[in-house]
Amino acid sequence: MKENSSVSAISPSNIAIVKYWGKHGNQLPNNPSISFTLSRCRTETHVAFQGNSTGNLSVRFLFEGKESPKFQEKIENYLAANRQYFGFLRGLDLIIESGNSFPHSSGIASSAASMSALVLCLLQIEKIVAHDDTPLDMRKASFLSRLASGSAARSVYPVMALWGKTPSIADSSDDYAVPLADMVHPVFKTYHDSILIVSNKEKSVSSRVGHSLMNGHPLAEKRYATARHNTERLLKVLKSGDVQEFIDIAETEALQLHEMMATSTPPFRLMEPNTLNIIEKVMELRHETNIPACFTLDAGPNVHLLYPDAFDIQTKQFIKDNLLQYCHENQYIDDVVQNNVK
Ligand code: PMV
């Protein structure tokens, strides 16, 4: 190894259509999930590393040029908890610098993008240390990303990914995600995700707390059964290109995720009045036009508006005329499905 070396990786965020909510064991999902991989909301990470004489691993983390003790601790805890996979880091000093493509004040904190970008860097270091110039093993990248943040498992593949065991996909697994790009109808590869920023505040419930609210939730088993069913339904829809059925799955999944939070102990209401205003307008749009746009939600108030590229111009006009009034400082992020199949 050279005295000083460095690696970089860019990894995108993803938006789940069938949602992962509830986990057990070491970051194992209670139901399978399927997401679109985005292209413009992403994290770029750069890791400089050099050997030290202590034989220990040291980490320094900078987010957008500034020390970030909170994230530094998160990374250190992750590396310590999973040290059996990171033996190659022993005796190295790491300086990790990370930055997001999306604005600070968008209320989007994508652990999927940041943790998968970090793992992609660490796996490159493993190859350098071992003088191995074979391509990265994306399944391993997905596995290690999952251990950092469940949904990060899906971010390492373009277009769409499935994480969690489901009957119709033989190599699906709770341990890692698998790519779906080869079986997705062309229409879904053209999808836009216009992220309507209702609030720029940080999420009021962390994912960790959110998942734990499913333990002992009276509707939990019903929710997991519905998500398993919706996974199989969505896999069929992704093959057939049935955009109407896609809308039904996407919207009921989003509303059910929020219903779970609203009926947990303690309850959380993550939608804001403008979330509902946007949802109503999107339903009106479908009623009055032939535009097959639909919404989905993450665990927060922002609305992801999903639509095929064929309706881009009309939908963008609709956003400007009808939806931006409900967005924080008229803000939205115009993202698209990531298509550069690796
Ligand atoms: O990956 P986590 O632990 O941040 O959980 C993500 C949960 C949702 O974003 C709400 C749904 C999902 O499948 O991405």
Side-chain angles (χ1 to χ4, degrees):
M1 186 179 41
K2 284 183 274 166
E3 276 293 281
N4 281 300
S5 307
S6 67
V7 293
S8 307
I10 294 177
S11 194
S13 186
N14 67 73
I15 179 70
I17 307 304
V18 176
K19 312 286 182 183
Y20 148 61
W21 199 241
K23 62 179 174 180
H24 63 277
N26 191 4
Q27 295 270 96
L28 294 165
N30 289 350
N31 62 258
S33 56
I34 296 178
S35 55
F36 275 129
T37 307
L38 301 178
S39 47
R40 294 180 188 149
C41 285
R42 55 193 201 183
T43 298
E44 180 163 357
T45 298
H46 183 81
V47 182
F49 60 100
Q50 62 174 320
N52 62 38
S53 52
T54 66
N56 296 325
L57 162 67
S58 83
V59 174
R60 189 168 160 228
F61 178 75
L62 300 170
F63 181 71
E64 298 187 348
K66 291 197 194 103
E67 304 275 346
S68 171
K70 188 176 129 194
F71 283 111
Q72 167 142 348
E73 195 188 336
K74 192 174 168 183
I75 293 170
E76 284 169 346
N77 290 344
Y78 165 69
L79 294 175
N82 297 291
R83 65 169 69 77
Q84 75 263 41
Y85 305 115
F86 295 112
F88 59 91
L89 294 177
R90 245 176 264 136
L92 293 183
D93 294 328
L94 308 184
I95 301 175
I96 305 170
E97 293 181 83
S98 206
N100 290 338
S101 61
F102 39 91
H104 284 297
S105 58
S106 60
I108 296 183
S110 180
S111 60
S114 59
M115 297 320 286
S116 54
L118 174 66
V119 165
L120 291 170
C121 286
L122 298 178
L123 291 181
Q124 289 177 57
I125 296 177
E126 181 176 34
K127 297 244 170 226
I128 293 173
V129 171
H131 302 288
D132 171 357
D133 55 11
T134 58
L136 286 191
D137 175 350
M138 297 316 275
R139 187 163 281 187
K140 184 172 175 183
S142 175
F143 171 84
L144 292 173
S145 299
R146 167 186 65 87
L147 293 173
S149 168
S151 58
R154 301 184 308 240
S155 268
V156 302
Y157 304 112
V159 187
M160 295 196 92
L162 159 75
W163 169 39
K165 188 76 195 147
T166 193
S168 70
I169 303 285
D171 66 346
S172 60
S173 169
D174 286 351
D175 289 329
Y176 46 78
V178 294
L180 292 180
D182 288 348
M183 50 157 287
V184 169
H185 187 280
V187 70
F188 294 115
K189 297 184 180 176
T190 76
Y191 261 62
H192 288 246
D193 178 5
S194 293
I195 309 169
L196 301 152
I197 310 299
V198 170
S199 166
N200 65 347
K201 299 204 188 86
E202 268 196 42
K203 292 195 276 189
S204 57
V205 199
S206 69
S207 293
R208 191 179 49 80
V209 172
H211 289 291
S212 71
L213 293 173
M214 289 299 279
N215 300 330
H217 193 299
L219 304 174
E221 287 314 315
K222 184 79 191 131
R223 162 64 200 152
Y224 301 142
T226 308
R228 285 183 200 118
H229 174 67
N230 280 344
T231 299
E232 287 295 317
R233 262 177 88 199
L234 183 57
L235 287 167
K236 286 199 190 89
V237 162
L238 294 179
K239 272 189 202 146
S240 70
D242 184 342
V243 166
Q244 293 308 322
E245 181 89 352
F246 175 84
I247 293 172
D248 188 57
I249 298 170
E251 294 190 347
T252 53
E253 275 289 316
L255 295 173
Q256 219 171 72
L257 169 70
H258 281 252
E259 213 46 49
M260 289 300 112
M261 288 182 269
T263 52
S264 64
T265 311
F268 286 95
R269 181 187 57 81
L270 300 186
M271 288 195 203
E272 294 199 2
N274 280 339
T275 311
L276 287 170
N277 285 329
I278 292 174
I279 288 177
E280 241 165 66
K281 286 279 177 201
V282 172
M283 288 179 166
E284 253 172 58
L285 168 77
R286 279 209 306 274
H287 200 66
E288 287 163 15
T289 70
N290 64 343
I291 300 174
C294 66
F295 67 84
T296 188
L297 305 162
D298 232 323
N302 298 332
V303 181
H304 292 247
L305 189 65
L306 306 172
Y307 50 94
D309 185 58
F311 297 89
D312 184 36
I313 294 170
Q314 289 153 277
T315 312
K316 290 272 161 50
Q317 194 58 49
F318 176 79
I319 291 172
K320 287 196 181 87
D321 295 345
N322 297 281
L323 303 183
L324 287 190
Q325 58 178 318
Y326 302 122
C327 294
H328 175 77
E329 293 175 348
N330 292 330
Q331 246 188 311
Y332 83 104
I333 299 174
D334 180 28
D335 214 330
V336 290
V337 169
Q338 193 201 63
N339 256 300
N340 46 333
V341 178
K342 286 169 202 156

